[in-house]
Amino acid sequence: MKILRAAFFLSFATVASTCCLVQTSRAQTVDASTMTGKFLMGYQGWRSCTGDGSALNSYSHWSFNGLQPSPGNVIPDMWPDTSELTPGEQFSTGFTMGNGQPAKAYSSYPATTVSRHFSWMQANGLDGVMLQRFIWDVKGSGNAAMTAHHNQVASNVKAGAETYGRVFALMYDISGEPSAQLIADMQSDWSSVTSTLQLTNSTRYLKHNGKPVVCIWGIGFSGFTHTTTQITTLINWFKSNGCTVMGGVPYSWRTLDGDSQTNSAWTPVYHSLNILSPWSINRYQNESQVDANLGRLQDDLADCQANSVDYMPVAFPGYSAHNLNGGALNEVPRNGGNFYWRQIYNALRTGCSMVYGAMFDEIDEGTALYKLAPTMQTTPVPGTSSFIALDIDGKTLPSDWYLRVTGQGTKTLNGTIPISEQLPITPTNSITVTYPNGGQVLTAGDPLTVTWTSSGTIGNVNIDISSDGGLSFRKLIYNTPNTGSKAVTVPYYGNTTCFIRVSRTNDVPVDWSDSAFTIQTPIVNPETHLLKKWTLAPGDRAYLSNTGTSERGIGYDSLSDKVFIVHREGTVPNVYVINGNTGADLGALSMSGITGGAFSLDRIGVADNGVIYAGNVSAPATNAAPVFKLYRWSNTNAVPTVAYSGAAGFGVGIRVGDTFTLRGSGTNTQVMVGG
């Protein structure tokens, strides 16, 4: 909430981050100079297969004993879509898929496979990855074959990022590493990474604040034996070597409980990081629980901002680790991408400037985002094991669905498209704006034909326009047939940051102009004439008084052509509805639950999407704060709900509610109230 002089400004969705309105082409090289505006995924790269050319020569992370994965000896719950891989990239298993074809595994060792993964990232407009480097595997264990595998994967990632214009950085995982070896092993390996592998010399290695990024994952978790002194030494060593240091920390890092060690000495360690990323995997199981944790997300971000630490929340699509550890199959359902999108949406509406997607290729725990088996027909016949496919929740999805969803999150984060509470795409239906699609210069008052293409079953569409870079939209056309084009008049919303939005009437799917266009306004506006349609004089209706001050406010809905009049009979309010074209009575709104205030209802207004809002007048004593109440009707037949109740930021003794106006719609509805 913000008070501007005497105005209380209430926004139902505020994106605190600054949006860049320059369109990023999918093929365009991603900026490697900053983490800000980046949606990065974790990349494990730990799979190998017998015959892949690696020294491991075994099925690492496919089976428990390194042999061919087979019923009763398999780790993943989800199966990758390997249909695009060449025969040389496919390796045999002991499974047959539901369609009768042999189930194939893949290895991260061949450069062609990792390069293919980066081509998928480019095709979906994804920024890049944080490459997982398990310090126990590459140093602590002394396993030369494992070290060679991880080094080859690192080189593959470097080459893939360079070929396809993506970015990458190292994320060290210190779980399993003995405390006594931690510092020496990390320092020795970083020297090898920078000198022998020369990863940081790549133009695609990610920097932040002018320094290469390195992440240490596993700081402060309960059950880990590393001390605050060791971690502090390590953080300071990386900083002294010119790095920006990111930390993978417990979900409860700030409150020092739950998965975090409870020693208060960890707090300054957390605050010494340049970037902090709490591990949220399996901390919630559905969208309601995601929303219930919104306050924690907001408090985490505020704490980081107060301590000059960048904040990178984690979003994950779902979770299933039944074959790995005996957990529940499909323990955290994906819900067709809605669970994943809700986390992304909450992070962005809170104002986070970077997001971590867990994980690109993690099928062991069922959090993978890359191409996955869409149906049980393309999944191994389980035998004594268990598998899930993308249609497990009753939704038909393509194998690349979560790459596409991550792409929508990436475009929203970097400001290419506005934030949307609903996932903007559907797996079977699509809308694509074709004109105006960015770069045009239009003139207010001129005719304009908005064009779009669509696929699947869409029904009628809405056409909206924004003149503030997508922060808010106004309706141009409501509920019009999906013909692919609509003639409108360019409105008088002069600006250089305008967007057209076309959406199915129920808001999904939706598409925006790829980048901003300009509306210029003529020096002289065209002549305007007002025509009287009807009049009602005092006394013409029972609720139109001859005397007194019973009529408190009036509102108009251009979508339904209805007029709303607030009338007070004694202390009892009513809102009467009038036909805007004829002046005929259409009934009244429900007054259920409306109480309190000097006037329980006073001013009324209608948002651009037809949702009705009305507020009371609060006139407190000189030593009391106002209690302004805002009510919301989703339509004329709805029971009102309380949209806001509180002091509205005003000081004691201030009368609030005599001035009231609305703008925007949906989650961009803004209510301004005077005091």
Side-chain angles (χ1 to χ4, degrees):
M1 301 169 193
K2 301 177 182 178
I3 301 173
L4 301 177
R5 296 182 182 172
F8 157 51
F9 178 86
L10 173 63
S11 173
F12 286 98
T14 301
V15 181
S17 57
T18 302
C19 292
C20 170
L21 296 172
V22 179
Q23 165 70 3
T24 302
S25 167
R26 288 179 174 177
Q28 188 176 10
T29 299
V30 176
D31 175 21
S33 68
T34 180
M35 291 272 286
T36 302
K38 295 293 189 300
F39 197 126
L40 301 171
M41 299 163 292
Y43 192 89
Q44 302 280 25
W46 56 15
R47 297 191 190 282
S48 66
C49 296
T50 299
D52 63 4
S54 71
L56 284 174
N57 197 34
S58 65
Y59 283 84
S60 175
H61 285 273
W62 287 106
S63 67
F64 292 99
N65 57 10
L67 300 178
Q68 269 194 2
S70 58
N73 184 33
V74 65
I75 290 175
D77 280 11
M78 305 190 80
W79 205 258
D81 177 2
T82 60
S83 60
E84 293 181 29
L85 276 61
T86 62
E89 299 172 76
Q90 298 179 346
F91 298 90
S92 61
T93 72
F95 287 106
T96 300
M97 293 194 298
N99 58 14
Q101 298 297 312
K104 297 293 186 178
Y106 77 92
S107 170
S108 308
Y109 191 79
T112 51
T113 300
V114 176
S115 180
R116 189 181 309 280
H117 289 166
F118 276 85
S119 74
W120 293 348
M121 296 178 208
Q122 184 197 55
N124 288 277
L126 310 185
D127 290 325
V129 300
M130 302 290 290
L131 172 62
Q132 314 295 292
R133 193 165 173 87
F134 295 82
I135 192 61
W136 170 251
D137 286 349
V138 298
K139 280 290 180 183
S141 67
N143 186 333
M146 185 67 74
T147 301
H149 174 85
H150 281 283
N151 286 348
Q152 180 61 47
V153 171
S155 296
N156 292 346
V157 166
K158 175 176 176 288
E162 290 172 350
T163 300
Y164 291 100
R166 305 303 97 184
V167 297
F168 75 103
L170 277 193
M171 175 180 279
Y172 279 107
D173 189 318
I174 62 175
S175 60
E177 173 76 354
S179 297
Q181 300 175 220
L182 176 65
I183 294 175
D185 283 350
M186 290 281 281
Q187 292 176 348
S188 173
D189 190 68
W190 182 250
S191 175
S192 174
V193 161
T194 54
S195 59
T196 304
L197 298 181
Q198 297 191 5
L199 297 187
T200 54
N201 289 343
S202 172
T203 57
R204 300 288 81 222
Y205 195 91
L206 189 61
K207 294 181 174 62
H208 191 61
N209 295 327
K211 303 173 183 179
V213 175
V214 62
C215 179
I216 307 169
W217 191 95
I219 294 175
F221 282 83
S222 61
F224 286 22
T225 59
H226 315 118
T227 67
T228 56
T229 300
Q230 289 172 320
I231 297 299
T232 298
T233 299
L234 204 52
I235 292 172
N236 290 339
W237 183 83
F238 275 111
K239 286 183 176 179
S240 69
N241 279 269
C243 295
T244 290
V245 183
M246 173 178 166
V249 302
Y251 188 61
S252 301
W253 67 275
R254 181 175 45 80
T255 53
L256 297 176
D257 54 14
D259 59 347
S260 173
Q261 297 194 39
T262 58
N263 184 349
S264 61
W266 281 103
T267 296
V269 176
Y270 296 142
H271 287 158
S272 71
L273 294 162
N274 301 119
I275 305 168
L276 185 149
S277 183
W279 189 243
S280 61
I281 304 303
N282 223 0
R283 300 298 183 262
Y284 20 78
Q285 286 73 44
N286 53 53
E287 291 93 314
S288 296
Q289 292 179 15
V290 172
D291 285 347
N293 282 272
L294 180 60
R296 179 186 288 270
L297 179 68
Q298 294 168 327
D299 291 343
D300 277 2
L301 177 61
D303 184 289
C304 286
Q305 290 174 333
N307 289 280
S308 301
V309 179
D310 286 316
Y311 182 68
M312 190 178 205
V314 172
F316 68 106
Y319 183 88
S320 184
H322 175 74
N323 292 328
L324 175 65
N325 58 30
L329 191 67
N330 198 31
E331 184 173 347
V332 181
R334 295 186 170 216
N335 193 21
N338 292 303
F339 173 70
Y340 182 42
W341 185 257
R342 194 67 191 182
Q343 297 167 68
I344 296 170
Y345 169 70
N346 279 356
L348 298 186
R349 67 167 167 157
T350 301
C352 298
S353 62
M354 53 187 76
V355 176
Y356 184 89
M359 309 279 283
F360 181 83
D361 56 342
E362 171 59 294
I363 51 177
D364 293 14
E365 297 178 347
T367 63
L369 297 165
Y370 64 177
K371 295 186 180 184
L372 294 161
T375 67
M376 292 304 292
Q377 289 295 99
T378 54
T379 298
V381 176
T384 55
S385 304
S386 299
F387 296 102
I388 61 173
L390 291 183
D391 62 354
I392 185 69
D393 301 318
K395 302 178 188 297
T396 301
L397 303 171
S399 66
D400 66 346
W401 178 241
Y402 287 91
L403 294 173
R404 293 166 57 184
V405 174
T406 305
Q408 293 295 307
T410 302
K411 289 195 288 186
T412 306
L413 177 61
N414 66 32
T416 303
I417 61 174
I419 189 171
S420 170
E421 182 174 4
Q422 301 298 320
L423 178 57
I425 57 174
T426 69
T428 54
N429 304 328
S430 68
I431 292 174
T432 303
V433 173
T434 55
Y435 189 86
N437 203 30
Q440 295 83 13
V441 178
L442 309 179
T443 301
D446 282 358
L448 165 66
T449 300
V450 177
T451 61
W452 66 94
T453 60
S454 63
S455 64
T457 304
I458 300 296
N460 287 359
V461 299
N462 298 338
I463 303 175
D464 309 321
I465 190 166
S466 170
S467 60
D468 57 8
L471 295 179
S472 62
F473 282 86
R474 293 177 180 271
K475 289 263 187 291
L476 280 180
I477 298 293
Y478 178 77
N479 203 28
T480 192
N482 178 38
T483 58
S485 67
K486 185 67 178 180
V488 298
T489 300
V490 180
Y492 281 82
Y493 299 149
N495 210 332
T496 59
T497 55
C498 299
F499 283 79
I500 282 288
R501 179 176 69 186
V502 179
S503 63
R504 190 179 181 184
T505 301
N506 65 359
D507 288 336
V508 177
V510 59
D511 189 50
W512 297 265
S513 307
D514 281 348
S515 61
F517 59 87
T518 296
I519 294 179
Q520 59 185 8
T521 55
I523 297 175
V524 179
N525 288 341
E527 187 176 356
T528 301
H529 299 275
L530 297 179
L531 300 175
K532 182 172 70 176
K533 301 190 76 172
W534 50 266
T535 61
L536 289 174
D540 284 356
R541 305 274 167 84
Y543 52 83
L544 298 177
S545 306
N546 283 301
T547 60
T549 57
S550 295
E551 286 71 52
R552 305 305 307 176
I554 188 169
Y556 175 66
D557 179 12
S558 61
L559 299 179
S560 62
D561 196 17
K562 293 176 182 176
V563 178
F564 301 90
I565 295 178
V566 179
H567 178 75
R568 186 169 61 93
E569 292 127 11
T571 60
V572 179
N574 273 299
V575 176
Y576 294 97
V577 185
I578 298 176
N579 186 306
N581 185 51
T582 65
D585 279 325
L586 297 177
L589 299 183
S590 168
M591 294 292 105
S592 175
I594 294 179
T595 60
F599 302 144
S600 52
L601 279 187
D602 189 76
R603 303 301 180 188
I604 192 168
V606 183
D608 292 344
N609 59 352
V611 175
I612 306 155
Y613 293 89
N616 71 353
V617 168
S618 179
T622 56
N623 62 347
V627 180
F628 175 72
K629 285 187 177 182
L630 180 70
Y631 299 95
R632 179 185 188 276
W633 292 260
S634 58
N635 55 64
T636 54
N637 297 317
V639 174
T641 58
V642 177
Y644 176 83
S645 179
F650 291 103
V652 298
I654 302 296
R655 177 179 169 119
V656 177
D658 289 306
T659 307
F660 177 100
T661 192
L662 297 171
R663 66 183 178 193
S665 64
T667 56
N668 289 317
T669 303
Q670 298 171 338
V671 181
M672 287 152 280
V673 182

